[in-house]
Amino acid sequence: MPGMVLFGRRWAIASDDLVFPGFFELVVRVLWWIGILTLYLMHRGKLDCAGGALLSSYLIVLMILLAVVICTVSAIMCVSMRVGSSSLPQWFPLSLSLTLLGGKWLHIPLPAPATWIVMIQASYLMASRQQLQACGKPESSSCAVALGKTTILGLLFRDTDLVPSDIAAGLALLHQQQDNIRNNQEPAQVVCHAPGSSQVYELPFLVALDHRKESVVVAVRGTMSLQDVLTDLSAESEVLDVECEVQDRLAHKGISQAARYVYQRLINDGILSQAFSIAPEYRLVIVGHSLGGGAAALLATMLRAAYPQVRCYAFSPPRGLWSKALQEYSQSFIVSLVLGKDVIPRLSVTNLEDLKRRILRVVAHCNKPKYKILLHGLWYELFGGNPNNLPTELDGGDQEVLTQPLLGEQSLLTRWSPAYSFSSDSPLDSSPKYPPLYPPGRIIHLQEEGASGRFGCCSAAHYSAKWSHEAEFSKILIGPKMLTDHMPDILMRALDSVVSDRAACVSCPAQGVSSVDVA
């Protein structure tokens, strides 16, 4: 839910965000009430000492106040469970009054046992107040804004009024929605040098002689440092300085600069000349993973004029690398390998904008309470299930059921803008404002066969390989393995699985195994 307006100020905490903390507080209050009741029943016959009557009165009043607070918290939780509830602020004066009434007892002189009880209560109230102050300050001091300043999603949604749990709910809904769509679709038929301290745009690389394959291999390292992250984030487009007949040569600026750095070291420092002086008959092969895969593709393009037989194998390269013309030009000498739902080969500025639009749509068109979405989403990520349990308007559900959406249309932006309306001519349906960039070369997609569990052991999984069109990677897919599928060790195990299955296929021709031949 968006921020709640209270006392004329916007607070980064919302009604249905109180379900989980309210439940936690309710458990603590009930246990506290049971403990005080047990203490009172066990010692009520021994309270005839000096001050015993005052202590007995205190415990009784404290139990009454706790009972009222328990009822109030329960009511707040019930209100919070309703989607789009706006009656929550009316409970605030009652809760505040009860807190102040309990604080009044701090000024009454009590015997030692009662003092300890009051000290424990005061410590709890102080901790609760500090937590409310930390989570209730407006704008820049809120936890959500602090998190948003340090994450890409926070930057992406900085113009909206969504809290992190809204985005989490949207991601859970998107994952189930895309699985539901995928389940209903028919299968588609588609055919060294390492510097001591790297700077931005400076990628470490290695040059080696592979005598078994008779190749000079240039391996470019992927993201491993803060400087590499800054290279990744330099996502503006620039014209690639390369000798080829392609007219549209737009490329990712940060990766282009990194490839240019490696190119200059290879050529100007004579590293390649030295390697080929040892083995002049060898061919040139360039490889890299992630950021290194994108740099390897650009590097191969830069070196192709001097080394026409160059080949490049880009493992999990970023999607937003270069223009469509360069993508088509590179298909004769570059092969990309992508595992499962790996997010990086689907990551580009255009796809991030698309993800933002889809999250806003799916959250705004859902009529389920957020706590149910998050609980069901957690269960779905861990154990799977039916992805159609939380239908949205975009799924073709009954329009009349959505009488109380999770988010109102005008709640999507902190400052209302028609850019996020849901009319037919909405800019949400318009073309992206950034030029689309594409992955390098032809793409081999490795996919897990069967169902080995949501978080199954990758070494026990079996994979198939197929040639895929770049359009299959035009959207960011949500799933529990969207990050782990990018890890190089997991990708290598998947490749080993495909190779072993292919070897078994060669030894047993009757056994059908999907494989891909790479020239």
Side-chain angles (χ1 to χ4, degrees), residues 90-370:
Q90 68 186 13
W91 295 98
F92 183 78
L94 177 59
S95 178
L96 181 61
S97 301
L98 293 175
T99 303
L100 295 177
L101 184 59
K104 175 181 179 299
W105 289 84
L106 295 175
H107 300 283
I108 301 178
L110 300 176
T115 303
W116 283 106
I117 297 175
V118 174
M119 289 177 63
I120 295 174
Q121 181 185 8
S123 301
Y124 176 81
L125 291 174
M126 184 177 298
S128 301
R129 183 176 63 181
Q130 291 176 350
Q131 181 179 7
L132 286 174
Q133 289 176 346
C135 295
K137 289 182 180 179
E139 299 178 354
S140 61
S141 298
S142 65
C143 303
V145 175
L147 179 62
K149 289 182 179 178
T150 58
T151 61
I152 295 178
L153 283 180
L155 294 173
L156 184 64
F157 287 90
R158 64 184 181 274
D159 60 338
T160 68
D161 195 21
L162 304 185
V163 294
S165 56
D166 294 328
I167 301 176
L171 292 174
L173 288 171
L174 277 181
H175 183 200
Q176 297 166 63
Q177 184 187 66
Q178 72 190 20
D179 282 359
N180 183 45
I181 295 174
R182 183 181 297 271
N183 292 340
N184 296 328
Q185 284 180 337
E186 293 295 329
Q189 297 295 328
V190 290
V191 194
C192 154
H193 167 78
S197 58
S198 299
Q199 303 298 321
V200 180
Y201 305 143
E202 294 184 4
L203 288 181
F205 62 93
L206 168 72
V207 178
L209 296 179
D210 185 349
H211 298 294
R212 188 169 64 90
K213 293 293 185 179
E214 296 186 346
S215 301
V216 175
V217 180
V218 178
V220 186
R221 197 193 72 181
T223 303
M224 287 287 290
S225 66
L226 177 60
Q227 289 80 7
D228 298 336
V229 173
L230 294 177
T231 301
D232 287 317
L233 294 179
S234 299
E236 300 90 351
S237 299
E238 70 173 15
V239 177
L240 182 65
D241 184 13
V242 62
E243 296 180 12
C244 67
E245 61 274 15
V246 177
Q247 298 298 322
D248 182 11
R249 300 196 303 273
L250 283 181
H252 185 290
K253 177 182 177 180
I255 304 179
S256 175
Q257 294 293 327
R260 178 61 57 182
Y261 166 79
V262 179
Y263 175 86
Q264 291 174 349
R265 299 306 303 267
L266 291 174
I267 301 301
N268 297 344
D269 292 359
I271 299 177
L272 277 185
S273 299
Q274 181 181 357
F276 279 105
S277 66
I278 300 174
E281 72 281 6
Y282 283 11
R283 66 171 183 170
L284 177 61
V285 177
I286 305 177
V287 298
H289 175 264
S290 188
L291 169 62
L298 291 173
L299 179 62
T301 306
M302 296 175 181
L303 290 170
R304 192 161 187 251
Y307 301 91
Q309 302 302 318
V310 64
R311 291 292 181 269
C312 174
Y313 299 97
F315 298 88
S316 306
R319 174 178 176 82
L321 183 64
W322 52 18
S323 64
K324 182 67 173 178
L326 283 173
Q327 192 268 337
E328 294 174 350
Y329 169 76
S330 66
Q331 293 192 8
S332 61
F333 61 97
I334 297 178
V335 173
S336 295
L337 293 95
V338 178
L339 174 61
K341 293 184 177 180
D342 186 353
V343 65
I344 300 302
R346 297 173 170 87
L347 190 62
S348 66
V349 176
T350 304
N351 283 7
L352 280 176
E353 283 290 325
D354 172 74
L355 176 65
K356 175 181 178 179
R357 294 162 185 249
R358 287 190 289 143
I359 288 178
L360 292 177
R361 281 180 175 275
V362 75
V363 171
H365 289 82
C366 182
N367 67 334
K368 302 294 182 181
K370 187 162 52 179

Side-chain angles (χ1 to χ4, degrees), residues 2 10 14 19 140 203 243 290 315 318 346 408 422 445 448 465 472 475 478 496:
R10 183 173 298 277
V19 175
S140 61
L203 288 181
E243 296 180 12
S290 188
F315 298 88
R346 297 173 170 87
F422 293 97
H445 192 194
E448 186 175 352
E472 293 191 26
K475 289 183 181 295
I478 310 303
D496 290 339

Side-chain angles (χ1 to χ4, degrees), residues 64-76:
I64 294 174
L65 289 176
L66 279 176
V68 176
V69 170
I70 289 172
C71 295
T72 304
V73 173
S74 301
I76 291 176

Side-chain angles (χ1 to χ4, degrees), residues 400-413:
E400 297 181 357
V401 177
L402 297 170
T403 57
Q404 200 174 28
L406 179 62
L407 288 178
E409 178 179 333
Q410 297 190 5
S411 300
L412 296 180
L413 291 180

